[in-house]
Amino acid sequence: MYEDTIGAIATPMGTGGIAICRLSGEESVQIADKMVKLKKGKKVRHMPSWSMALGDIVDPDTGGVIDEAIILVMRGPRSYTGEDVVEIQCHGGTLVAQKVLSTSFRLGARPAEPGEFTKRAFLNGRITLDEAEAVLDVVTSASEASLYQAGRRLKGEFGALVEKWEDGLVNALALLQGPIDFPENIDPEGEHEEARRLLDKLGKEMADILSRAPLGLALSGGVEVCLVGRPNVGKSSLFNALLSRDRAIVTDIPGTTRDVISEKTEWYGLPVVLLDTAGLRPTQEVVEAMGVERAKSAAQQANVILYILDDTEQLQDEDFQWLQSWQDRFCIAVITKTDLGAHLVDVDILDERFGDKWVKVSSVTGEGIENLKQMVHGMFTSLSDTEAVLPGSARQVDCLERAYQAVKDALYYLDEGWTDDVVVLCIEEAAQALMELTGKKVSQETLDRIFSKFCVGK
Ligand code: GDP
């Protein structure tokens, strides 16, 4: 439990109907008691938990009335943070709310840091770390699909699944450690077989959720779609056509785009972050070379790569090399400038070597642009399953990937007949990664990173 009491305005800045000033901590009720005069002479400190009352907010030094407000008292542990919480609903002017808050500071509260209410809820065991992250996802959700998944994570559905896996790992450990601890009583063959079956099942379940992770991440932060290709093939023109506005500079001079340009948009309800990049070519020019490096790394990190090909030129060796290197990714070959009627890109070769992941477009006539958006949309919605609950942050996916890898290692060592202590180590590593996911074991640095993304008052 924290000693100090924190305060912040929990509603957005600006004028509105009401503003909520929130206090949390051991002294929140006493502080409110000193600055609120309830009607009929009642005292805030006598208010039952989860009750509200009308009162005047008064300056403790002058006795002057600052505002009339509704006071809500929620005593710990049954509150958002797990501590005593008082919410003061005052009129929604910026100055009024600030005066109410500064009065609470004069009486002993201190300004809350970003996300500190939710951080306390986590540290006091009210919510798990994945649920805390879901709070932010719910607040920032911009599409129905994002909100639906964030809501499920907030209710603890994802955390419950992870805990079920954790239990499974503990059971597998018990099966393997039984023969180590009591070698004379237990048949190691049978126990091994059972542990193997269990680990196999857990691994498959994790792999299934991991295969859908790109959708979860995309819904949380927007699908990153990166346009790459040789200089002058038509990337910036396509970038503009996909955004329906002139955002990037288009010229017939190769090497115009130097840095990565990013814009947010939405395709059929899918939140998209579109990236335009420098043309891929060897160059001695320092700034352009930096741009090319950035283009490569943007493509590496993106959820979807659009490799742009100019229909007025034949496929070149480097096109094959790039397409080959991204074959296991969500990569679409986009043949542009089709309005010029040259048709020099051999689609039969693309079909043969890369399957049907290509599309023809024209940034000038707009032909094929909607088709391309639908292809990207389809790639992600095909991962969706209304039953599956998805991870919502790269951190969660990283923990899950480490757990999955450790389970696979455990299975490998079991199959290869290694000694049980090696297998046990792998299972412990998997359990550790899952505990990091839900926050049972987590570093201060990770916590700081997560909560710094929150706004003050949340
Ligand atoms: P980037 O260097 O790959 O970004 O290519 P740009 O978008 O700057 O385009 C290079 C040249 O091709 C410009 O002169 C564009 O006007 C032209 N261009 C790009 N896309 C199309 C298209 O779909 N049709 C036609 N006719 N010209 C295009």
Side-chain angles (χ1 to χ4, degrees):
M1 272 279 202
Y2 276 75
E3 297 287 300
D4 51 356
T5 296
I6 52 171
I9 297 167
T11 39
M13 277 299 164
T15 48
I18 55 168
I20 299 177
C21 177
R22 197 185 216 185
L23 300 173
S24 177
E26 264 178 18
E27 286 181 28
S28 56
V29 176
Q30 285 103 299
I31 292 172
D33 199 53
K34 288 183 197 147
M35 59 188 276
V36 177
K37 245 175 133 174
L38 294 180
K39 305 287 170 189
K40 296 183 194 156
K42 286 190 198 155
K43 293 285 176 200
V44 172
R45 62 176 183 273
H46 296 142
M47 283 175 65
S49 189
W50 286 92
S51 70
M52 52 168 59
L54 186 66
D56 283 334
I57 311 296
V58 290
D59 185 309
D61 298 328
T62 65
V65 175
I66 298 169
D67 194 17
E68 187 178 58
I70 289 173
I71 321 299
L72 182 58
V73 172
M74 290 158 283
R75 291 176 201 276
R78 287 194 54 236
S79 71
Y80 181 68
T81 56
E83 307 166 337
D84 286 352
V85 171
V86 177
E87 285 185 8
I88 301 174
Q89 298 184 3
C90 57
H91 286 101
T94 318
L95 187 61
V96 181
Q98 280 299 347
K99 282 182 95 166
V100 174
L101 184 65
S102 61
T103 307
S104 77
F105 293 160
R106 269 157 60 206
L107 291 168
R110 71 152 170 86
E113 287 161 19
E116 199 173 359
F117 290 92
T118 309
K119 189 179 189 178
R120 287 186 174 200
F122 165 68
L123 292 172
N124 291 327
R126 294 286 295 166
I127 54 174
T128 57
L129 199 52
D130 51 300
E131 287 165 8
E133 285 176 305
V135 172
L136 189 62
D137 293 338
V138 166
V139 175
T140 55
S141 281
S143 72
E144 281 287 335
S146 323
L147 185 58
Y148 173 68
Q149 280 296 336
R152 291 180 66 180
R153 281 195 297 277
L154 183 59
K155 277 190 282 171
E157 280 190 51
F158 185 55
L161 179 64
V162 174
E163 291 203 351
K164 194 190 89 180
W165 291 335
E166 249 180 77
D167 289 347
L169 291 172
V170 171
N171 289 342
L173 268 185
L175 286 166
L176 292 171
Q177 277 178 326
I180 296 176
D181 297 341
F182 309 99
E184 63 287 353
N185 300 337
I186 296 172
D187 155 35
E189 280 307 312
E191 304 284 296
H192 271 174
E193 196 37 48
E194 178 126 19
R196 207 201 168 287
R197 259 203 310 274
L198 188 54
L199 289 171
D200 193 50
K201 182 167 162 282
L202 291 176
K204 284 195 175 116
E205 286 179 13
M206 288 179 193
D208 180 53
I209 296 293
L210 272 174
S211 72
R212 299 174 203 277
L215 178 65
L217 292 183
L219 288 177
S220 294
V223 179
E224 276 199 5
V225 178
C226 184
L227 282 79
V228 281
R230 288 181 283 113
N232 245 13
V233 288
K235 296 180 295 301
S236 298
S237 305
L238 183 61
F239 182 75
N240 291 341
L242 286 166
L243 291 171
S244 310
R245 67 192 172 92
D246 269 351
R247 168 66 178 84
I249 299 171
V250 172
T251 67
D252 50 11
I253 308 160
T256 324
T257 310
R258 299 298 184 91
D259 213 341
V260 178
I261 306 178
S262 120
E263 280 292 316
K264 284 188 179 171
T265 181
E266 198 178 301
W267 296 347
Y268 301 97
L270 186 75
V272 168
V273 181
L274 195 61
L275 307 170
D276 188 18
T277 61
L280 301 170
R281 67 168 172 185
T283 172
Q284 298 301 319
E285 213 270 305
V286 180
V287 181
E288 192 186 351
M290 285 166 82
V292 171
E293 279 314 306
R294 287 187 184 190
K296 288 184 200 162
S297 99
Q300 210 49 44
Q301 287 165 22
N303 304 105
V304 177
I305 299 167
L306 301 184
Y307 187 77
I308 318 301
L309 294 162
D310 182 338
D311 206 20
T312 65
E313 290 172 10
Q314 290 187 340
L315 288 167
Q316 301 185 6
D317 281 348
E318 51 184 307
D319 296 326
F320 289 114
Q321 281 161 16
W322 285 117
L323 284 168
Q324 188 85 43
S325 72
W326 292 317
Q327 206 163 16
D328 296 332
R329 306 273 310 276
F330 283 146
C331 176
I332 302 174
V334 183
I335 306 156
T336 188
K337 306 192 195 179
T338 51
D339 57 288
L340 296 173
H343 306 307
L344 289 181
V345 171
D346 188 339
V347 290
D348 290 336
I349 296 189
L350 284 182
D351 249 343
E352 199 179 294
R353 295 187 52 176
F354 306 105
D356 57 0
K357 291 197 302 183
W358 59 266
V359 61
K360 283 192 169 200
V361 302
S362 162
S363 303
V364 170
T365 64
E367 204 181 320
I369 297 289
E370 292 309 308
N371 190 13
L372 169 59
K373 290 181 188 172
Q374 276 167 357
M375 261 175 104
V376 173
H377 179 262
M379 281 175 160
F380 281 85
T381 41
S382 68
L383 295 174
S384 161
D385 167 347
T386 44
E387 289 309 308
V389 54
L390 308 169
S393 71
R395 186 194 72 84
Q396 292 170 7
V397 176
D398 173 61
C399 293
L400 194 49
E401 266 168 356
R402 280 189 282 130
Y404 174 58
Q405 189 53 50
V407 167
K408 277 204 319 196
D409 290 348
L411 281 166
Y412 170 81
Y413 290 127
L414 261 179
D415 288 346
E416 294 291 309
W418 285 61
T419 53
D420 285 349
D421 45 353
V422 178
V423 183
V424 162
L425 276 180
C426 295
I427 300 176
E428 282 173 352
E429 200 180 313
Q432 175 78 29
L434 294 182
M435 282 194 273
E436 274 178 46
L437 200 163
T438 52
K440 282 184 194 152
K441 285 210 172 127
V442 71
S443 70
Q444 189 59 42
E445 194 195 335
T446 305
L447 286 186
D448 291 345
R449 206 171 45 235
I450 291 173
F451 290 104
S452 65
K453 291 187 209 147
F454 280 62
C455 52
V456 172
K458 194 71 214 113

